[in-house]
């Protein structure tokens, strides 16, 4: 495995060929920090679900706390480009980790703190989401991109699942203190900041950037200008469509899968278990799809495969939800988890340089998360109006069809299909 080169100039302007080789110990530190950061990225968002039924949160509070993360991640995603331009990927990720740690602490300070802390955590997560693909492209050899994006997705799911499983036991052991249970998120947040810290030694700060030759500064300014105009390209809108529709369906399914199964005659306990199987499927798909996709220059077959797998899961829920709920949960998890992780590979593969990757990532996640925030509420409205889950599920299949039409350009852009 490769380790980083200290020069920011080379990493910002050259194609992704992997940084120069270095010592094994540096590679271990790099990978360990990356995994610790990845484990922490979704922890806070998985805490509320297990705790809400037992901790006495009101419906309005639960709804708002579920809506805040995608809204804030969409709204603050553009901030990542500014952070990267000012500090670089390593310092930006460390700063975001420190802010996320502060947000995890604030979430322990009563209900007002829970709301404020959720906004802080979501803001920091938005920056991490955008910078991770750039970090992977610049710090790992090209052949490792798929594996590392898979590790990122797998670690996110594992960290969230582990903390979620501990929420109710800690709530019970602490005398029914939900604040103490929320405090569990402080541990992985602190470990993430500690894990990223060693990378600061090899990062290039603003002072070093100002010492670049005039020609290099002009080239860097040109790259930033192109990134700023990324919304004028069909590629960017295709990425927004793919990530946006996949994320909308992911959050909608995560919110309503147990209710869909219960309404179909599945017991509440079994429906809860199917939610766990869905998360297992997300982890499996999140690791497998980017590993397979990164090995090719054309990701259109992988986009089609992800969409078809999701369609199979929703069709199963429509036609025989109670007959094989475990199958539909696993299939949907694999498809939606794979789609979430595939987006990161698309940013890396389609980006011409690190600035372009950052711009594509920021644009896709801004539009995608804002779109995703509408999913659970829209599904709930359709269910309320019709009295059944048929229309929401048919709508999900229609969204997949629209995604198929709009997303294929993101899988193969002729101007960036050289790798």
């Amino acid at each position: 495995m490769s380790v980083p080169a200290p020069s920011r100039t080379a990493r910002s302007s050259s194609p992704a060929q992997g940084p120069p080789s270095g010592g094994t110990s540096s590679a271990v530190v790099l990978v360990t920090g990356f995994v610790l950061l990845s484990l922490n990225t979704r922890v806070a968002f998985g805490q509320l679900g297990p705790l809400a039924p037992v901790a006495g949160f009101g419906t309005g509070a639960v709804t708002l706390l579920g809506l805040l993360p995608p809204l804030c991640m969409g709204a603050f995603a553009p901030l990542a480009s500014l952070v990267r331009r000012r500090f670089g990927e390593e310092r930006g990720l460390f700063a975001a980790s420190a802010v996320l740690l502060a947000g995890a602490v604030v979430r322990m300070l009563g209900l007002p703190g829970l709301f404020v802390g959720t906004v802080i955590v979501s803001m920091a997560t938005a920056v991490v989401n955008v910078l991770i693909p750039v970090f992977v492209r610049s710090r790992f050899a090209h052949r490792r991109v798929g594996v590392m994006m898979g590790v990122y997705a797998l670690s996110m799911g594992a960290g969230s699942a582990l903390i979620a499983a501990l929420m109710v036991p800690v709530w019970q052991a602490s005398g029914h203190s939900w604040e103490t249970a929320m405090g569990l998120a402080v541990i992985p947040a602190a470990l993430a900041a500690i894990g990223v810290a060693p990378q600061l030694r090899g990062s290039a700060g603003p002072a070093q950037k100002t010492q670049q030759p005039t020609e290099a500064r002009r080239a860097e300014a040109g790259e930033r200008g192109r990134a700023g105009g990324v919304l004028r390209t069909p590629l960017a809108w295709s990425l927004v469509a793919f990530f946006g529709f996949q994320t909308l369906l992911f959050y909608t399914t995560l919110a309503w899968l147990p209710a869909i199964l219960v309404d179909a005659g599945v017991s509440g306990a079994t429906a809860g278990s199917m939610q766990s199987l869905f998360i297992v499927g997300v982890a499996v798909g999140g690791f497998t799809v980017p590993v397979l996709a990164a090995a090719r220059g054309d990701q259109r077959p992988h986009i089609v495969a992800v969409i078809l797998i999701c369609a199979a899961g929703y069709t199963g829920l429509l036609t025989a939800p109670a007959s094989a709920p475990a199958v539909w949960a696993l299939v949907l998890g694999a498809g939606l988890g794979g789609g979430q992780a595939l987006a990161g590979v698309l940013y890396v593969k389609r980006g011409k340089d690190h600035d372009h990757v950052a711009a594509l990532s920021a644009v896709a996640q801004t539009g995608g998360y804002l779109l995703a925030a509408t999913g659970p509420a829209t599904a709930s409205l359709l269910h309320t109006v019709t009295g059944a889950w048929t229309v929401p599920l048919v709508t999900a299949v229609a969204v997949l069809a629209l995604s198929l039409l709009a997303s294929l350009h993101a899988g193969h852009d002729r101007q960036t299909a050289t790798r």
Side-chain angles (χ1 to χ4, degrees), residues 354-383:
H354 302 329
D355 292 314
H356 195 208
V357 172
L360 292 174
S361 180
V363 165
Q365 295 191 53
T366 298
Y369 279 117
L370 292 176
L371 180 63
T374 67
T378 301
S380 177
L381 177 63
L382 291 174
H383 174 258

Side-chain angles (χ1 to χ4, degrees), residues 1-4 22-34 140 199:
M1 182 168 291
S2 304
V3 294
T24 302
S25 60
S26 297
V28 171
V29 170
L30 173 61
V31 173
T32 300
F34 181 78
F140 295 96
Q199 303 309 317

Side-chain angles (χ1 to χ4, degrees), residues 222-285:
E223 289 170 352
R224 288 200 297 265
R226 182 177 66 248
V230 73
L231 274 174
R232 294 193 293 269
T233 65
L235 171 62
W237 286 105
S238 185
L239 284 167
V240 169
F242 179 72
F243 180 74
F245 289 136
Q246 282 289 312
T247 307
L248 181 150
L249 294 173
F250 175 80
Y251 275 97
T252 301
T253 305
L254 190 65
W256 295 116
L257 178 60
I260 292 170
L261 294 175
V262 168
D263 280 7
V266 177
S267 70
T270 301
S273 299
M274 296 307 100
Q275 184 84 329
S276 299
L277 279 180
F278 173 75
I279 295 173
V280 170
V282 168
V284 172

Side-chain angles (χ1 to χ4, degrees), residues 177-192:
S177 169
W178 66 260
E179 292 89 347
T180 302
M182 287 290 176
L184 279 177
V186 172
I187 299 172
L191 290 175

Side-chain angles (χ1 to χ4, degrees), residues 157-171:
S160 179
L162 176 61
I163 296 299
L166 292 173
M167 291 302 291
V168 173
V170 170
W171 172 78

